[in-house]
Every structure is written in C-alpha cells, then in structure tokens.
Amino acid sequence: MPSLEEERIGLVKRLESIGILRSERTKRAALLVKRELFVPPKLRKYAYRDTPLPIGHGQTISAPHMVFMMNELLDLREGMLVFEVGSGSGYHAATVAEMISPGGKVITSEILEPLAKFAWENLRRAGYHDRVSVVACDGSKGLKFKRKPERILVTAAAPRVPRPLVEMLEDGGKIVIPVGDTPFFAQKLVLIEKKGSRIMEKAITDVAFVPLRGEWGFR
Ligand code: SAH
C-alpha cells in the first residue's frame, strides 16, 4: 500500500500530465498541502482520489483538479490579499496561502458555523493559522477590509455574480466563481477581471458546485 505522501506525489504527477498543474507555484502548493488533514478522519484513505468528498452538512471539499484549475486562473502571486467565499474544509484556502507566500493573506468566509469551526481547526492543525483567517458570515455580501483584495475565490455556485464582490475587488483584480441558475447543474466557471469601470467576464468550463446561500445566493 502506498503511503499518503506517495499518493500525494502520484496525484500531482497525474494533474501535471493532464495540464491542470501548470505553474511551479501551483505544483508546489499541491505538494505541500496535506489534503488528508482537511477531510473527515474516516475518509483520509481517499484524500488523493481526484474527486469531491463529503465534509458534513451537505457540503463537499472540491476535487483537487478543480481547486488547482481555479488557482491557476486566479494567477496568484506573492503578497496578495485573497478573499474566499465558502471555507468548507479550509483546504482550498490553504493551497492559496501557499501560493501567495511569503507575505500574502487569505480571509475565508463560511456561512455554516460548524463548518467555519471545522475549517479553522483543520487550518490550525495544518499550520496555516498565521496566513489564513476564517470568518463565520455570509460572504456573498462581501466584507470590509483595510485594503481591497486583489483576488476573490468563490467555491459555491451563485445564481448571478454578487455585485458586492465586484465592488470590494481591487482595481486590476480577478474573481473566479461558478455561476448557474439551477442548483447543482449546468454551471459555468467564470473568470472576471476588473479594469477601472470595465468588468470583463469569460466562461471557462462547465462545473458542478454546491449552491451559494445567503443574500446573493439561493435562499
Ligand atoms: N472551498 C471549500 C469547499 C467549499 S464547499 C474547501 O476547500 O473545502 C462550499 C462552501 O460554501 C460550503 O461549506 C457552504 O456552506 C459555503 N457557503 C455557501 N454559501 C455561502 C455564503 N454565502 N458565504 C459563505 N460561505 C458559503
């Protein structure tokens, strides 16, 4: 039986060979973050299957290929401030934290209180307590920070792009978000770029995410 470490390296090689892991930065994050620390203990043996896994409360940790495809689209760099909507297990936030180190910071929001706690525990145990903050709130309404985030990552599917997220984004910034008007089906992963008053949207690929809740989500 291969160890989890060997399985992680195997998954990274596969994701590289199919063109998901492109930059050294993304590859490094995939190698460094231990996904087994972010899934329920009973599912640890499946941590390096390239599939979503249940994390309780009807929610899932996304498949690794989706996490890294989104990170590549976000074009993450050192020192950035990144806002995530949908902490879930905290895994995606940890991979972003690796990609914006040193000096970067992730603020991740989670609408379900028990999952905010789950994410925070996982992040703390995995050693990301100083680079990631978890806020239990409706992230679809945006959040006020001292500085505007350069990147926003949404990991639940929205019926439409939440306007507060576009407003809180730094000029020149990017958002990656799944959008679709029917929960669970027929969603597009959308890349948004903000250049002054110009907002450019590009549909990248078909995806299936859990629904976004809250003010700008499905209620
Ligand atoms: N990024 C996560 C996967 C998230 S699944 C990971 O790495 O594990 C989507 C998450 O979004 C769920 O936990 C869900 O509760 C949360 N969510 C849904 N609507 C939200 C909202 N309006 N604000 C914050 N979190 C939300």
Side-chain angles (χ1 to χ4, degrees), residues 6 11 22 35 57 65 69 72 74 82 121 144 151 173 204:
E6 287 164 338
L11 176 64
R22 296 182 186 179
R35 193 168 183 252
H57 309 276
H65 74 267
M69 183 194 286
E72 291 281 14
L74 280 171
V82 180
E121 263 311 300
K144 280 229 158 33
R151 300 290 186 260
I204 305 294

Coordinates of all heavy atoms in Angstrom, one line a residue, residues 6 11 22 35 57 65 69 72 74 82 121 144 151 173 204:
E6 N 3.1 9.3 -0.7 CA 3.3 8.7 -2.1 C 2.1 9.0 -3.0 O 2.2 9.3 -4.2 CB 3.7 7.2 -2.0 CG 5.1 7.0 -1.5 CD 5.3 5.5 -1.1 OE1 4.3 4.8 -0.8 OE2 6.4 5.1 -1.0
L11 N -0.7 11.9 -7.4 CA -1.8 12.8 -7.8 C -1.2 14.0 -8.5 O -1.6 14.4 -9.6 CB -2.7 13.2 -6.7 CG -3.8 14.2 -7.0 CD1 -4.8 13.6 -8.0 CD2 -4.5 14.7 -5.8
R22 N 0.1 23.8 -13.9 CA 1.0 24.4 -15.0 C 2.2 25.1 -14.4 O 3.3 25.0 -14.8 CB 0.1 25.4 -15.8 CG -1.0 24.6 -16.5 CD -1.8 25.5 -17.4 NE -2.9 24.8 -18.0 CZ -3.8 25.3 -18.7 NH1 -3.7 26.5 -19.1 NH2 -4.8 24.5 -19.2
R35 N -4.0 17.1 2.0 CA -5.4 17.1 1.9 C -6.1 16.2 3.0 O -7.2 16.4 3.4 CB -5.9 16.7 0.5 CG -7.3 16.9 0.2 CD -7.6 16.7 -1.3 NE -8.9 17.0 -1.8 CZ -9.8 16.0 -2.1 NH1 -9.5 14.8 -2.1 NH2 -11.0 16.4 -2.5
H57 N -22.8 18.3 6.7 CA -23.8 19.5 6.5 C -24.1 19.6 5.0 O -24.4 20.7 4.5 CB -23.2 20.8 7.0 CG -22.7 20.6 8.5 ND1 -23.6 20.7 9.5 CD2 -21.5 20.3 9.0 CE1 -22.9 20.5 10.7 NE2 -21.7 20.2 10.3
H65 N -8.4 18.6 -8.9 CA -8.2 19.3 -10.2 C -9.0 20.6 -10.3 O -8.5 21.5 -10.9 CB -8.6 18.3 -11.4 CG -10.1 18.1 -11.6 ND1 -10.7 17.1 -11.0 CD2 -11.0 18.9 -12.2 CE1 -12.0 17.2 -11.3 NE2 -12.2 18.3 -12.1
M69 N -7.2 24.1 -10.9 CA -7.6 24.9 -12.1 C -8.0 26.3 -11.7 O -7.7 27.3 -12.4 CB -8.8 24.2 -12.7 CG -9.3 24.8 -14.0 SD -10.9 24.2 -14.5 CE -10.4 22.6 -15.1
E72 N -4.9 28.4 -10.8 CA -4.2 28.8 -12.0 C -4.9 30.0 -12.6 O -4.2 31.0 -13.0 CB -4.0 27.7 -13.0 CG -3.1 26.5 -12.6 CD -1.6 26.8 -12.8 OE1 -1.3 27.9 -13.0 OE2 -0.9 25.8 -12.7
L74 N -6.7 32.2 -11.2 CA -6.6 33.4 -10.4 C -5.2 34.1 -10.5 O -5.1 35.2 -10.2 CB -6.8 33.0 -8.9 CG -8.2 32.8 -8.5 CD1 -8.3 32.2 -7.1 CD2 -9.0 34.2 -8.5
V82 N -6.3 37.7 -0.5 CA -7.3 36.9 -1.2 C -8.5 36.7 -0.3 O -8.3 36.3 0.9 CB -6.7 35.6 -1.7 CG1 -7.8 34.7 -2.4 CG2 -5.5 35.8 -2.6
E121 N -10.1 24.7 12.6 CA -9.4 23.6 13.3 C -8.4 22.9 12.3 O -7.3 22.7 12.6 CB -10.4 22.5 13.8 CG -10.8 22.6 15.2 CD -9.6 22.8 16.1 OE1 -8.7 21.9 16.1 OE2 -9.5 23.8 16.8
K144 N -15.7 44.1 4.6 CA -14.8 45.3 4.6 C -13.4 45.0 5.2 O -13.4 44.5 6.3 CB -15.5 46.4 5.3 CG -16.6 47.2 4.6 CD -16.4 48.7 4.7 CE -17.1 49.4 3.5 NZ -18.3 48.9 3.1
R151 N -7.7 39.4 -5.2 CA -8.3 38.2 -5.8 C -9.5 37.7 -4.9 O -9.4 37.8 -3.7 CB -7.3 37.0 -5.9 CG -6.1 37.3 -6.7 CD -6.4 37.3 -8.2 NE -5.2 37.5 -9.0 CZ -4.7 38.6 -9.6 NH1 -5.4 39.7 -9.3 NH2 -3.7 38.6 -10.3
G173 N -8.0 43.6 -10.3 CA -8.1 42.3 -9.7 C -9.0 41.2 -10.4 O -9.5 41.6 -11.5
I204 N -15.3 29.7 -18.6 CA -14.1 28.9 -18.8 C -14.5 27.4 -19.1 O -14.1 26.9 -20.1 CB -13.2 28.9 -17.6 CG1 -12.7 30.3 -17.2 CG2 -11.9 28.0 -17.8 CD1 -11.9 31.0 -18.2

